[in-house]
């Protein structure tokens, strides 16, 4: 019997502090930084983002999302035998956010590790978990995207600080005799390291370099639209499916213009595009599982629907996962 992996439940968590564009513009104005609700909405589609309190970490947000996913799946934390956390904003340099989160869930023994692929982190993590389940290395995995990007934003740089937010999303992925994940397609091209990065590091007890996010927005934008189309087509080809089979496109939630551009290139109706960037901003590795969970809980995404998940971001990394939900 062929062994597949399938999503058994989804969950998410947003920190309670909800910051509208107007709130952020007012806060930035006190620093002499000028922006507006209109500019942010027109250029990005973002209206609101959530920011975590200073003492709240990615593993805190991820653990809450994981609890909701476990509950939805009807799976006890003790049954989990693999934890993968996609994050670029871990609690510490080490150990991983996954180990810290594992302890918060009150479990021990199963492998737990972080995946660092920035905004493509969740599709990377899901692909790794799928492979481990298919080979029998795991039976029930927690795959989580969790971020506190507010910690690495330069609030004097209006070209980046208005874009990002904090949050977490999670899925329970379990072994099944029915296909769930159908195909995936992952890529990276390290020659583009400089267009989206946090160039600082820790050395000799000091922060060396700049520990705040830098982005060449236009360069990222141009690359993103092309690679998202390519990854979706490659994934469909691997699965022997076509664009017409996609019920819902869930791209990384960075910019509504990139998302709509991708849907159009794939000749998908915009009704099939899942959009939460308006309410969450760009939550990096958390954006796809957050969008997935919100759409499952609202009743939009139903059991049996075919979903195309797509990530793109720093590295440069990109990839897609096609699955029957
Ligand atoms: O998560 C990883 C993936 N990341 C992304 O996908 C991000 C990709 N890039 C983007 O989403 C867009 O490039 C941005 C939203 C970052 C920028 O949009 P844009 O349409 O490319 O704007 P731009 O950089 O060309 O800037 C247009 C103008 C500039 O003014 P001038 O030079 O035309 O006078 C900027 O200085 O908008 C100005 N501007 C702002 N104005 C008000 C830039 N940021 C702001 C701001 N408020 N926050």
């Amino acid at each position: 019997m062929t062994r597949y992996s399938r999503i058994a439940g989804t969950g998410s968590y947003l920190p309670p502090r909800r910051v509208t564009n107007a709130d952020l513009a007012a806060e930035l104005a006190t620093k002499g930084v000028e922006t507006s609700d209109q500019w942010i909405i027109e250029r990005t589609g973002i209206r609101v983002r959530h920011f975590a309190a200073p003492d709240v970490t990615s593993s805190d947000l991820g653990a809450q999302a994981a609890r909701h996913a476990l509950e939805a799946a009807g799976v006890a934390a003790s049954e989990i035998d693999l934890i993968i956390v996609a994050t670029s904003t871990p609690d510490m340099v080490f150990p991983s956010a996954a180990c810290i989160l594992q302890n918060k869930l009150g479990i021990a023994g199963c492998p737990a590790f972080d995946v660092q692929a920035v905004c493509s982190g969740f599709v990377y993590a899901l692909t790794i978990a799928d492979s481990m389940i298919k080979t029998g290395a795991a039976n029930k995995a927690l795959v989580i995207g969790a971020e506190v990007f507010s910690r690495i934003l330069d609030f004097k740089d209006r070209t980046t600080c208005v874009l990002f937010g904090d949050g977490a999303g999670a899925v329970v992925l379990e072994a099944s005799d029915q296909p769930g994940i159908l195909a995936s397609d992952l890529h990276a091209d390290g020659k583009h390291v400089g267009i989206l990065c946090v160039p600082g590091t820790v050395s000799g007890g000091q922060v060396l370099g700049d520990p705040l996010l830098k982005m060449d927005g236009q360069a990222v934008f141009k690359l993103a639209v092309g690679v998202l189309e390519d990854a979706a087509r490659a994934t469909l080809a691997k699965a022997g499916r076509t664009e017409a089979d996609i019920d819902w496109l869930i791209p990384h939630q960075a910019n509504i213009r990139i998302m709509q551009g991708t849907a159009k290139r794939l000749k998908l109706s915009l009704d099939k595009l899942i959009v939460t960037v308006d309410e969450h901003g760009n939550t990096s590795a958390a954006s796809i599982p957050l969008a997935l969970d919100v759409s499952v809980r609202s009743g939009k995404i139903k059991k049996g629907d075919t979903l195309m998940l797509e990530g793109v971001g720093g590295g440069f990394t990109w990839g897609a996962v096609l699955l029957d939900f």
Side-chain angles (χ1 to χ4, degrees):
M1 193 168 58
T2 313
R3 196 175 151 95
Y4 300 99
S5 77
R6 199 175 179 105
I7 293 179
T10 67
S12 62
Y13 182 74
L14 289 161
R17 188 175 161 222
R18 193 173 176 272
V19 180
T20 65
N21 290 343
D23 296 338
L24 188 59
E27 201 177 309
L28 293 177
T30 66
K31 300 178 171 57
V33 177
E34 199 190 319
T35 189
S36 66
D37 179 42
Q38 191 190 353
W39 189 95
I40 302 170
I41 291 175
E42 278 176 8
R43 300 289 175 133
T44 72
I46 297 167
R47 293 173 185 273
V48 177
R49 77 284 294 138
H50 289 243
F51 285 152
D55 59 340
V56 171
T57 63
S58 286
S59 74
D60 289 325
L61 303 180
Q64 281 294 86
R67 287 185 190 103
H68 295 151
L70 288 166
E71 201 182 344
V75 168
S78 57
E79 294 175 68
I80 292 297
D81 57 8
L82 172 67
I83 298 175
I84 309 180
V85 176
T87 186
S88 298
T89 49
D91 304 26
M92 303 179 187
V93 173
F94 71 78
S96 65
C99 288
I100 299 168
L101 183 152
Q102 182 197 41
N103 188 44
K104 285 177 180 162
L105 294 181
I107 52 179
C110 71
F113 57 92
D114 289 359
V115 164
Q116 221 297 29
V118 202
C119 305
S120 310
F122 187 75
V123 292
Y124 268 61
L126 200 57
T127 302
I128 296 165
D130 172 55
S131 307
M132 290 180 71
I133 286 174
K134 281 183 179 148
T135 60
N139 290 308
K140 282 186 171 42
L142 264 173
V143 186
I144 299 156
E147 302 280 15
V148 283
F149 257 54
S150 59
R151 303 285 152 75
I152 52 168
L153 296 178
D154 178 353
F155 285 98
K156 294 207 175 73
D157 176 7
R158 68 177 182 171
T159 68
T160 54
C161 73
V162 301
L163 305 176
F164 295 89
D166 302 336
V171 301
V172 173
L173 194 70
E174 67 180 10
S176 166
D177 55 8
Q178 298 297 316
I181 292 185
L182 302 167
S184 69
D185 186 60
L186 302 180
H187 298 275
D189 184 350
K191 75 169 169 285
H192 300 296
V193 164
I195 63 171
L196 178 48
C197 59
V198 177
T201 189
V202 177
S203 175
Q206 310 269 324
V207 174
L208 293 189
D210 190 340
L212 299 176
L213 185 147
K214 304 278 172 283
M215 180 168 75
D216 176 345
Q218 290 192 358
V220 172
F221 193 110
K222 280 185 203 135
L223 273 173
V225 180
V227 299
L228 287 172
E229 180 188 4
D230 293 347
R233 290 197 191 288
T235 309
L236 286 167
K238 284 184 193 177
R241 303 254 183 134
T242 71
E243 292 84 338
D245 295 316
I246 299 173
D247 293 308
W248 299 105
L249 175 66
I250 313 183
H252 169 47
Q253 308 280 313
N255 186 319
I256 189 73
R257 293 183 293 142
I258 297 176
M259 295 159 57
Q260 290 178 342
T262 305
K264 280 183 193 146
R265 281 170 176 235
L266 294 172
K267 305 214 168 19
L268 292 179
S269 149
L270 293 183
D271 298 343
K272 294 186 169 187
L273 179 66
I274 297 290
V275 178
T276 53
V277 69
D278 53 338
E279 281 292 315
H280 303 161
N282 179 346
T283 58
S284 193
S287 90
I288 294 171
L290 251 167
L292 172 64
D293 183 54
V294 166
S295 309
V296 169
R297 284 174 196 264
S298 73
K300 212 173 198 183
I301 294 178
K302 298 191 173 59
K303 275 271 166 243
D305 285 353
T306 300
L307 315 182
M308 174 68 80
L309 316 185
E310 290 208 89
V312 60
F316 202 67
T317 56
W318 66 99
V321 174
L322 185 73
L323 62 95
D324 284 341
F325 185 68

